Amino acid sequence: MIPKEAEPGDDTAGLLYYLYGPGKRDEHVDPHMVAAWDPFVPDPVKSDEFSISDLAMLLDAPVRALTGKKPPLHVFHVAVRNPPEDRTLTDDEWARVAREMMHASGIAPHTDDQGCRWVAVRHADDHIHIVATRAREDGRQPDTSWSKLRMQEAARRFEVEFGLRRLTHGDGTARRWSKTGEAEKAERRGLSETSRETLQRAVREAAAAAVSDADFFERLAVAGLRVKQRIAPDGNVTGYSVALPGDRDGGQKPVWFPGTRLAPDLSLPRVRERWSGAPVNAAVTPAAMWRAAAEKVSAAAEQLGAGGLHEGAGDVAALGDLIVVSAVVAPYLVRSQMRRAAYEFERASRAPSARRMEGQARELYRESTYVLSRSVSSVGRSDTVAALGFLLALVTAVQASQRWHEAQEHRAQAEAAGRAGRLLHEAVEVTTGANAARGYRSRSKRTTARKGTGRRAAVAPGGKLMAGAVQEAVPEHAREVLADPAWPALRAQLVEVEKTGEDPADVLATVAARRELTSADSVAEVLVWRVEGWRRQRSPAAGASGSATTAAPTGSSGRTGPASKQGTPSPTRQTPGEEQQRKGPKQGR
C-alpha cells in the first residue's frame, strides 16, 4: 500500500470535479465517495439535491470562517494506491484506510471532533483519493509535519491486516508502478502490459548484457525501442529516454520515459556502473556455455557479500543482471518461470546502500552474464540437460543473496529473493521432469496389478485411482503426498499422463528417481512440477520437432507476473509491443 501526498493546492472544487469526472483519458470508472469526515454527508453522484459544488463549499467552510490569516494553499490531497498484484479492497476497507490516513496525517485525529473536513473518493479498483481542507473546526491549523512518515507506518499495518504485499518505504529501491491511466490505455490497445512495464523489461535486458555505452544504445535500438540521448554541451551523453513505437499522448507526441523513471537502477549513471570494472574475461567455447556459467555462479555464491556492505550491494546487482539474461536465453520449457523469477528478484538486486562494483563475486557474475549473452546464438538454448546444472547453481546463488539481505536487515529485498528462489526451484523441477522424459522408453501398459492382486482389467483413461499409482511409484512418500494440499494438482497431472496412453505409475516413478525428494518442503508439489515438465517434453509439439527443442510452456503454477517478451538480444529487430499482441505460445524451431 502506497500513500502519496500531493503538493498542496487552492482549488477544492476543481480537484473534486476532476476526481468525480472521467479523467484525462477516460480512466476513471464509477467515481463515488467511500468515506467522509461526517457519515451523513451525501455523495454527489447519488443525490439529486447535492452537487459537487455543494460538497466543495462544505469542505471550504472552515477555511472561509477563519478570522486570521488564511492559508494560501489550503487543499490537502493524498492518493493511496495498492500494487497491481494485490487483491481488490472493498469500499468498507478503503473507508477504514481513509479514516486511518487522516488520523495518522494529523488532519482528523480519531478522538478529536474539531478536526479538519475531508472526503475519500474512489474511481478505480486499486486506489482512492482523499481531499481535505487545512482548517480545523476550532479555527486552528492542523499539524501535518509528520504526515508522510505516519501515513507510511499506517500503510505497513494495513498490509499485514489485509494480507497485501508488504513494502518497505524510504529506501529508494521500490519499483516504479504503472499509473492507472497507463493501465487503462494498455487495455484499450489490447496489450497485456503497460508501456512502462514493456520498456522496463527491454531496457533492463539491454543493460544487463551490454558492455559499453555504444553496446547499450545499440541493443535498445535492436529491441525496437525509440531512443533519445541527452547530450551535454561538451558532447558527453548524460542521459537517455525511450519510447515504444506507436505509443503517443493526446497531442500525438511520443510518450518518452527517462531511464530513472523506469527504475532506480536504470538511470544512465547506474547503467554505466555495470561495465565500470575490469574488462570481462570469459573465453569459453559455446558448447561449454551452461557448464562454464554454472561453475562461475557456484564460485560466486560462496563469495557474495564477503567484501562488506557496499561490495555486497554490487554483488546482488550483478546477480540480478545474470538472472535477467538467464531468463532471456533459458530453455523454452522454463522460460515463463525464469521471466517471473527475474521480475521478482529485481527488488532484491537493489540494496538500500551505495554499491561498489568490484569484488570476486561481482566479476564472476558478470563473466557468467557475458558467457550466456554471447554464446546463445551458437548453442542450442533449449538444451535442458545442460541447463539443469546452471539452474541449480542459480538457486544456490539466490539463496545466498537472501541470507545476505537478511543479515543486513533488508526485509523487502530478502522477501523478493525468497520469491525468486521459489520460482527458480520450480524451474529446476520442471527441467528435471523434462530430462526424465528424454530417457523414458514408452511401453504398453502392464496388465498385471501389484503383487498378490492378480490381473487387472483395462481401465478407461482417467478412470484409474491415482492414489494407487502414488503408492506403487513412491511408497516411502505416499502417505505424505496423499495428505498434501498439492495432491489434487498432482492427481490432475497423472490423469493427463494416462490420457496419453502411458502408465502414470511408471511416469511418476521415473521422475521421482531423477533427483532426491527428501529435502523437498512439499514432495507433492515437486512431483507436480516434474510431471508437468515430463508432459511438456513428451507433448506432440515436442515430438514432432525431431530435435532437442521443447514446446513453449502452456501452463503455470498459478502465480501471476509480468507478461514476458520472447526472444533474445540479436541483430533481428523486433518491436516489444508486437510481442504482446501475439497469440499462443511460441514454439521452438
Side-chain angles (χ1 to χ4, degrees), residues 52-66:
I52 295 176
S53 297
D54 294 332
L55 177 60
M57 290 178 62
L58 278 181
L59 287 169
D60 283 338
V63 179
R64 299 178 186 278
L66 291 175

Side-chain angles (χ1 to χ4, degrees), residues 435-458:
N435 291 342
R438 290 173 179 271
Y440 182 82
R441 293 293 178 266
S442 179
R443 59 179 177 174
S444 58
K445 287 187 178 181
R446 294 165 295 174
T447 56
T448 57
R450 290 183 297 279
K451 185 176 179 179
T453 60
R455 301 179 67 85
R456 65 188 182 195

Side-chain angles (χ1 to χ4, degrees), residues 82-202:
N82 283 340
E85 64 270 21
D86 279 344
R87 70 177 178 87
T88 300
L89 301 185
T90 65
D91 280 354
D92 289 340
E93 289 172 325
W94 276 124
R96 281 196 55 209
V97 171
R99 285 190 287 269
E100 190 63 33
M101 290 300 169
M102 291 296 93
H103 168 74
S105 66
I107 291 290
H110 290 324
T111 58
D112 188 354
D113 58 1
Q114 298 295 308
C116 301
R117 297 184 177 186
W118 59 272
V119 294
V121 178
R122 182 181 187 181
H123 55 212
D125 288 339
D126 62 350
H127 72 279
I128 59 172
H129 290 264
I130 309 173
V131 180
T133 47
R134 295 174 181 269
R136 293 169 48 85
E137 299 286 357
D138 57 11
R140 296 186 293 115
Q141 294 290 307
D143 181 9
T144 59
S145 54
W146 296 94
S147 60
K148 295 180 180 179
L149 177 62
R150 290 171 177 168
M151 285 192 293
Q152 291 285 355
E153 293 173 348
R156 302 293 82 79
R157 294 193 294 270
F158 278 119
E159 289 164 0
V160 175
E161 179 182 350
F162 292 159
L164 309 176
R165 171 175 282 198
R166 298 181 65 184
L167 306 178
T168 299
H169 67 278
D171 66 5
T173 65
R175 170 182 290 270
R176 304 286 192 254
W177 301 109
S178 298
K179 298 179 180 179
T180 303
E182 295 171 0
E184 295 289 341
K185 183 178 181 180
E187 183 177 357
R188 291 196 303 271
R189 297 177 65 192
L191 303 179
S192 58
E193 64 181 2
T194 66
S195 297
R196 184 191 297 267
E197 292 169 326
T198 303
L199 291 170
Q200 279 176 345
R201 187 181 62 254

Side-chain angles (χ1 to χ4, degrees), residues 508-575:
L508 192 59
T510 300
V511 300
R514 198 68 180 185
R515 289 185 65 239
E516 58 85 19
L517 292 168
T518 55
S519 62
D521 293 333
S522 169
V523 174
E525 191 171 38
V526 167
L527 291 175
V528 168
W529 294 332
R530 292 189 189 180
V531 175
E532 180 183 5
W534 188 96
R535 288 182 54 222
R536 292 182 185 177
Q537 180 64 36
R538 303 284 293 186
S539 67
S545 67
S547 67
T549 58
T550 61
T554 58
S556 67
S557 62
R559 296 177 185 81
T560 60
S564 57
K565 182 186 73 173
Q566 305 290 344
T568 62
S570 67
T572 303
R573 184 180 182 89
Q574 181 179 359
T575 301

